[in-house]
Amino acid sequence: MSGAGPRDEQRYAGLVAALRSTVSSGATLDLDWRRQRLGALRRLLTDHETPLTEAVSRDVGKPAAEVRLTELSLVVREIDDLLANLERWTAPRRVRLPAVYLPGRAEVQLRPKGVVLVISTWNYPVLLLLAPLAGALAAGDTVVAKPSELTPTVSGLLADLLPRYLGADTVGVVTGGVPETTELLRCRFDHVFFTGSGPVGRVVMRAAAEHLTPVTLELGGKSPAFVDGTVDAAVAARRVVWAKFTNAGQSCIAPDYLLVTREAREEVLAALGAAITEFFGADPRRSPDLGRVVNADHHRRLVDLLSSSGGRVVVGGGHEEDERYLAPTVVVDPDVDSPLMTEEIFGPVLPVLTVADAAQAVAFVAGRDQPLALYVFTEDDATRAAFERGTSSGALGHGVALMQISVPGLPFGGVGASGMGRYHGRDSVEELSHHRSVVSKPLRPDTLALVYPPFPAWKRAAGMRLLAPLRRPLARAWTRGRR
Ligand code: NAD
């Protein structure tokens, strides 16, 4: 489906209604329904590994090895994790009833929410569409998938393959850009899962509010990294360079800028240059392992960020618009008010700011929007603790960057300006399910008689005992909590 016109709203509404009827039929409560879909999604990836890899390389300019490593493999691992744990993660969770409510039982049941709209972006076009989709299937939801218009080859391929493998009763794909998404967002969904920029996240949340639809917002922002003089500068630099220049810096959790202490600065700068040469050679333009900037608009935006930064380019700086090539670039001492330091860079440019010490770095990070990720390279426990206590971020990496996205069991998501909600593995199932509280109590004996009116004196006295927490001193509540 593509193109938004007057009749699209109806068309989209029809699609959502059909997908909702799959859920309301009760079919998706069956774990075998979910297993079958997850297996089909896995087959889609393995059957079409090469065309998908080529499509991403073509649309995003990413090396094929990177596509396999950072997209296809991660989705397959996510599916395997969901399949292996599906029964356990979706099982009703018993809750102990307080003695006064006995006999009876209470539990939390995870129920499918219904139809989930997954809106995705271009930088990891397979991963960021299919990982949320897998979570939704595991939760028993059906999905409308809206890939990015900036990756037309991938979007076209997935629009063809997804309904073929999963069935049109399970997933619908809507391709297109702003007009189509705007129209789509007029429909009532049961959850909207959005990956993209903060400004569009606000548009999505406003539209969802019209229907009181819950949202997950996986946004971006400026993720800082910090390096001090206690670490092996060569290793820290290699890890920063790898995380920054994978996918040509177009990763939401790439380090956006680097804060380095004065005493470590020269050694770290030299190590950054050495790591870039080690990974991409003396002429990175010839390296088959360096990705390209997604399109000419983004290329121009990045070149403008570089030229207006007020900083000094110490590594790289070369660019070629026709090839969408921008060398892995390090800029020192940019103006903190320049766009390079106020906007998300999302490209292969690493600004380096000098700080007096860790305390100044913590204050710098804490004084700005809460980032999606924060990376701290220090051997000093007190410095690690200062970052843990003094800052907030979606994820925190000590001595490593990017890795958090691929650790099964770790939730992925932002906080504040970097987003809301979380997913991957069990967190996807929980995020995309309704948590229904279910209590049951036999009708006999009728132990609730105490709370029925009228309330003679004996009932009021007994009621007071039931309401004991109201009269209990705080100290007792503390000890109860610790038992
Ligand atoms: P974007 O917000 O421009 O686009 C994302 C999606 O929203 C696309 O599908 C697009 O078609 C749609 N869209 C764009 N404008 C819209 C509008 N006005 N109304 C409705 N829909 C609209 O984001 P982008 O530039 O494609 O992606 C880059 C951003 O995404 C960066 O900020 C990056 O950090 C972030 N990101 C976050 C994650 C994460 O997991 N947290 C992952 C990748 C990228």
Side-chain angles (χ1 to χ4, degrees), residues 119-124 128 146-150 176-178 181-182 185 194-201 203-204 217-221 251-253 298 344 346 372 412 418 423:
I119 304 174
S120 174
T121 178
W122 52 266
N123 60 334
Y124 291 80
L128 297 176
K146 212 303 282 175
S148 170
E149 67 277 27
L150 298 192
V178 178
T181 321
T182 305
L185 282 166
F194 172 79
T195 303
S197 63
V200 180
V203 172
V204 168
L217 299 179
E218 297 287 340
L219 310 178
S251 306
C252 56
I253 50 171
H298 277 284
E344 181 180 4
F346 222 56
L372 189 55
F412 187 83
S418 55
Y423 76 126

Side-chain angles (χ1 to χ4, degrees), residues 282-297:
D283 181 5
R285 194 169 165 182
R286 292 166 185 267
S287 167
D289 301 316
L290 180 72
R292 293 297 186 260
V293 176
V294 67
N295 61 25
D297 285 349

Side-chain angles (χ1 to χ4, degrees), residues 139-279:
D141 299 314
T142 53
V143 171
V144 174
K146 212 303 282 175
S148 170
E149 67 277 27
L150 298 192
T151 50
T153 322
V154 179
S155 303
L157 195 53
L158 290 176
D160 172 43
L161 294 175
L162 282 171
R164 269 214 274 140
Y165 275 73
L166 300 181
D169 61 345
T170 302
V171 63
V173 180
V174 172
T175 56
V178 178
E180 290 79 6
T181 321
T182 305
E183 213 54 69
L184 200 50
L185 282 166
R186 287 193 219 282
C187 302
R188 182 175 74 78
F189 288 92
D190 302 294
H191 193 100
V192 178
F193 190 107
F194 172 79
T195 303
S197 63
V200 180
R202 286 170 174 81
V203 172
V204 168
M205 196 167 172
R206 268 196 293 274
E210 279 301 313
H211 298 290
L212 291 179
T213 297
V215 292
T216 305
L217 299 179
E218 297 287 340
L219 310 178
K222 292 183 85 64
S223 295
F226 167 80
V227 183
D228 70 12
T230 64
V231 289
D232 180 331
V235 179
R238 274 205 293 274
R239 294 193 179 179
V240 169
V241 165
W242 167 66
K244 176 72 186 187
F245 299 109
T246 290
N247 198 20
Q250 301 163 115
S251 306
C252 56
I253 50 171
D256 185 279
Y257 61 91
L258 186 64
L259 300 170
V260 58
T261 54
R262 198 166 290 132
E263 90 278 3
R265 175 185 152 121
E266 292 315 313
E267 198 185 352
V268 169
L269 287 177
L272 289 171
I276 289 170
T277 307
E278 181 187 337
F279 290 179

